[in-house]
Amino acid sequence: DLVTRLRVGAGRLHGVGFSNGGWNLGSIVFDEDLHFASACWVAAGYNGGKVPKRAKKEMGALALVGGEDPNRGAAEGTPKLLGDKVRSALARVQPGLGHKWPRELMPFYGWWVGVQEGRFTPGVTEAFDWDAADTDPPPAAADGKSGSFVYWYSSADADVEDAKTFQNVVMQDAAAQYFGAQLRAVKREREGNEEAFAAAKLKETPAIVVYSAGGKLKKVLQGRIKAKSLASALRSVARSRKLPR
């Protein structure tokens, strides 16, 4: 009824369920007739239900939860349960939070919803917790990060499909997320930083430059970057190099 009355466009319907609403979310978001673009479990997780075949290409799945929430296990298990049934599946945790709405994760959710709708602006991404470091290599982190990486982007790539795929899809790869979270992440726009871009011996964007904790250059990726290549590059300086089960 709401889809009809609000004239929601195709690919712009998103379902969110908090707590008990999350446990019952599947019956709505996987309805064959409604064609949801995404499903988000908050303080809950996917607990079964038939997933439509179209979800493999048309739906994103996300679970948001507090670090102290009793439902954390179910939330973090959601990507594994849905990973081969939807286009993409992620989980995010707000440290120190109990069974409450994760307000600090809302900027990520807002960006993620746009990604599900196919929106893309070079450099506008919440895929990682970006640091404000303005030197290359980024200074050694004091918070236990085992290395760093710089994501180079260009505003000129707004209509470049490979750049969109890298930022919206490749960066959300589960392995890349796991290894990248262990590193200091920095974004750098090519425009206005041409000297640093040339010093890194880069020729095109998007590009990823990976450094060890001591600032030694380890890996350089640019152009059409695959998920496996990104994960491998980030893994090269990650403290924990074995994916969790």
Side-chain angles (χ1 to χ4, degrees):
D1 178 60
L2 287 174
V3 170
T4 301
R5 288 197 285 134
L6 299 179
R7 299 181 183 179
V8 177
R12 297 193 62 192
L13 189 61
H14 306 276
V16 184
F18 171 76
S19 191
N20 194 44
W23 299 126
N24 292 282
L25 184 64
S27 61
I28 297 175
V29 294
F30 295 138
D31 186 295
E32 293 278 12
D33 297 324
L34 294 178
H35 284 218
F36 274 79
S38 77
C40 179
W41 288 262
V42 181
Y46 171 68
N47 61 339
K50 184 178 180 181
V51 181
K53 290 183 178 181
R54 69 168 193 86
K56 183 68 176 177
K57 293 183 178 181
E58 300 177 15
M59 282 191 72
L62 176 67
L64 305 176
V65 70
E68 306 302 321
D69 193 322
N71 292 334
R72 178 176 177 174
E76 291 188 303
T78 294
K80 183 176 181 180
L81 293 175
L82 289 174
D84 61 348
K85 299 177 181 179
V86 297
R87 183 175 58 189
S88 64
L90 293 174
R92 281 290 187 279
V93 178
Q94 180 176 321
L97 184 71
H99 191 65
K100 296 181 180 179
W101 187 267
R103 295 183 182 277
E104 292 180 10
L105 297 177
M106 289 303 99
F108 174 85
Y109 178 67
W111 166 77
W112 182 83
V113 164
V115 168
Q116 306 315 304
E117 296 183 359
R119 301 183 190 186
F120 168 61
T121 300
V124 178
T125 169
E126 296 287 338
F128 295 97
D129 293 326
W130 303 104
D131 192 282
D134 57 4
T135 60
D136 293 322
D143 56 1
K145 301 291 186 181
S146 59
S148 61
F149 71 93
V150 178
Y151 164 41
W152 283 92
Y153 64 93
S154 170
S155 58
D157 290 340
D159 297 319
V160 177
E161 196 62 31
D162 283 346
K164 176 180 178 179
T165 298
F166 177 72
Q167 183 170 291
N168 284 5
V169 180
V170 173
M171 277 191 172
Q172 294 192 63
D173 174 74
Q177 285 282 308
Y178 177 72
F179 296 125
Q182 301 178 50
L183 314 179
R184 171 177 283 190
V186 177
K187 290 188 298 182
R188 194 89 73 231
E189 185 175 7
R190 178 175 180 175
E191 288 77 11
N193 292 289
E194 291 290 352
E195 186 174 337
F197 186 81
K201 298 182 179 180
L202 298 173
K203 296 181 179 180
E204 57 183 323
T205 52
I208 293 289
V209 183
V210 181
Y211 300 94
S212 67
K216 183 179 180 180
L217 177 65
K218 298 291 288 186
K219 300 283 183 179
V220 176
L221 304 173
Q222 53 187 317
R224 182 177 292 181
I225 304 172
K226 301 294 185 180
K228 186 175 182 179
S229 298
L230 176 62
S232 178
L234 300 177
R235 179 179 181 270
S236 69
V237 296
R239 177 172 288 104
S240 177
R241 301 187 182 185
K242 187 175 182 180
L243 286 170
R245 292 184 178 180

